[in-house]
Amino acid sequence: MRKWLDTQLTEYSCNLCGLQSDRFIFERIDGLRVVQCKECGLVYLNPRPKDDLIPTQYDCNYILSRSSIGDMLTASKGRLLVLKENGISSFGKALEVGCSTGEFCQYVHNRGVDVTGIDISGSAIKIARSRYKTIPFYVGTIDNIISEESYEALFAFEVIEHVHDPDMFFKKASDLLEKNGFLCITTPSFECAEFVGFDNWVGFSMSFEHLYFFSSTTIGKYAAKHGMQVVCTLYGGGKGLNSHMCNQYTIKEMSKYLLKSMHLLESVRRIKRIMQLTLPIKHDYQSKEIRHNLLMILQKQ
């Protein structure tokens, strides 16, 4: 967890409606304040780190702390199944923003999709290029894309909570999409924070690089603002409680340490990847119960 100096922080107005009318709702243990716009309901850090300091958080250590290849493969299968269940069974040209080390790109590439990946982390892109040599990967953000080409599909998994300008993100996404093209996003759900209580929500006690906290309502407002409509809204990823997530994290790290000390970690990972290739495809997203993770599909009009 990084502690920021006052000189590294700056005040911002609401990114969604532009007003400077917010109310304090929570202070994270890193000392940064979470506020909510009184007008539109957007939740964000204010003050927050200056824009030029944000990329410094995504170094090699950050990338190596993310999920394993096997976990990413499982998530990729589940997300494509969600698309299929919502009538999106095929698409030819796609862009993944925040592609990390490239597992989702590789998964759709193997199914005939012409896919490109982009990520703010040079460390992540270096790994992606070394693993998946036939896919184009670039260092940058969505606003770095200068292209007259359009895409049938854009993907941004666990991305929008990191970007310094979500309004620009949704505008650029809409500009890059073909008519009737779709944007699939996932992000921690602020609705879960309201449901379980701010003190209990894991979203305020981990992942301190997050700048924004979205609900299905605020994402819907961004979509309408930039010519997109909501196709579906689903929730997954567990209950989002601190105790549950911390215990799960501790057990996972302890198991990893023990396997590594016995020189079995890589063997277990290989077995896990083989099993995940043969297991039936499934996902835990549903619409009936608010959970920690929010998945939304938006379509350009």
Side-chain angles (χ1 to χ4, degrees), residues 76 80 91-99 102-118 128 132-138 145 149-157 182:
S76 299
L80 283 188
F91 45 93
K93 191 174 181 64
L95 171 70
E96 184 183 9
V97 182
C99 65
E103 280 64 45
F104 180 80
C105 286
Q106 174 69 1
Y107 188 70
V108 297
H109 171 76
N110 287 343
R111 281 146 187 79
V113 177
D114 178 10
V115 64
T116 299
I118 187 168
Y132 314 115
K133 301 183 187 301
T134 59
I135 300 173
F137 291 104
Y138 301 98
I145 300 173
E149 294 184 281
S150 57
Y151 298 89
E152 294 175 53
L154 263 66
F155 301 95
F157 304 125
F182 66 90

Side-chain angles (χ1 to χ4, degrees), residues 11-251:
E11 294 273 350
Y12 288 86
S13 56
C14 176
N15 181 263
L16 178 54
C17 69
L19 297 182
Q20 293 179 315
S21 177
D22 57 47
R23 64 182 183 92
F24 169 82
I25 62 172
F26 192 77
E27 183 172 321
R28 302 193 311 194
I29 61 173
D30 62 351
L32 297 186
R33 300 169 69 253
V34 181
V35 303
Q36 184 172 36
C37 179
K38 295 177 182 178
E39 180 66 24
C40 69
L42 182 66
V43 180
Y44 54 102
L45 296 181
N46 202 23
R48 72 161 194 252
K50 295 177 180 178
D51 291 348
D52 61 337
L53 296 176
I54 291 174
T56 64
Q57 301 178 93
Y58 304 103
D59 58 11
C60 187
N61 290 331
Y62 177 85
I63 297 304
L64 293 176
S65 69
R66 301 298 94 183
S67 298
S68 67
I69 294 177
D71 292 335
M72 296 295 285
L73 177 60
T74 300
S76 299
K77 289 181 178 182
R79 287 159 178 166
L80 283 188
L81 180 58
V82 170
L83 297 180
K84 185 177 180 179
E85 291 173 348
N86 284 275
I88 303 169
S89 57
S90 64
F91 45 93
K93 191 174 181 64
L95 171 70
E96 184 183 9
V97 182
C99 65
S100 188
T101 51
E103 280 64 45
F104 180 80
C105 286
Q106 174 69 1
Y107 188 70
V108 297
H109 171 76
N110 287 343
R111 281 146 187 79
V113 177
D114 178 10
V115 64
T116 299
I118 187 168
D119 198 280
I120 195 173
S121 169
S123 299
I125 293 300
K126 184 177 180 179
I127 294 172
R129 287 171 175 168
S130 68
R131 288 177 178 171
Y132 314 115
K133 301 183 187 301
T134 59
I135 300 173
F137 291 104
Y138 301 98
V139 178
T141 62
I142 193 170
D143 54 322
N144 297 131
I145 300 173
I146 303 174
S147 173
E148 295 182 358
E149 294 184 281
S150 57
Y151 298 89
E152 294 175 53
L154 263 66
F155 301 95
F157 304 125
E158 312 304 299
V159 171
I160 58 172
E161 65 271 15
H162 297 261
V163 302
H164 68 270
D165 189 347
D167 189 58
M168 178 281 302
F169 175 92
F170 283 101
K171 180 183 185 305
K172 185 72 173 184
S174 182
D175 290 344
L176 289 169
L177 281 173
E178 296 180 358
K179 182 177 174 60
N180 298 320
F182 66 90
L183 166 64
C184 181
I185 57 178
T186 64
T187 188
S189 171
F190 181 69
E191 291 154 271
C192 184
E194 293 179 304
F195 183 71
V196 303
F198 299 156
D199 289 324
N200 299 322
W201 189 47
V202 69
F204 285 155
S205 61
M206 296 177 67
S207 302
F208 297 108
E209 69 280 4
H210 293 179
L211 306 174
Y212 289 89
F213 307 92
F214 298 92
S215 66
S216 57
T217 300
T218 52
I219 290 177
K221 289 178 180 179
Y222 276 114
K225 184 177 180 179
H226 296 293
M228 295 181 283
Q229 70 173 11
V230 176
V231 173
C232 82
T233 300
L234 300 172
Y235 300 91
K239 296 181 179 180
L241 293 170
N242 277 323
S243 57
H244 169 73
M245 295 298 289
C246 289
N247 290 339
Q248 186 182 65
Y249 177 80
T250 301
I251 293 170

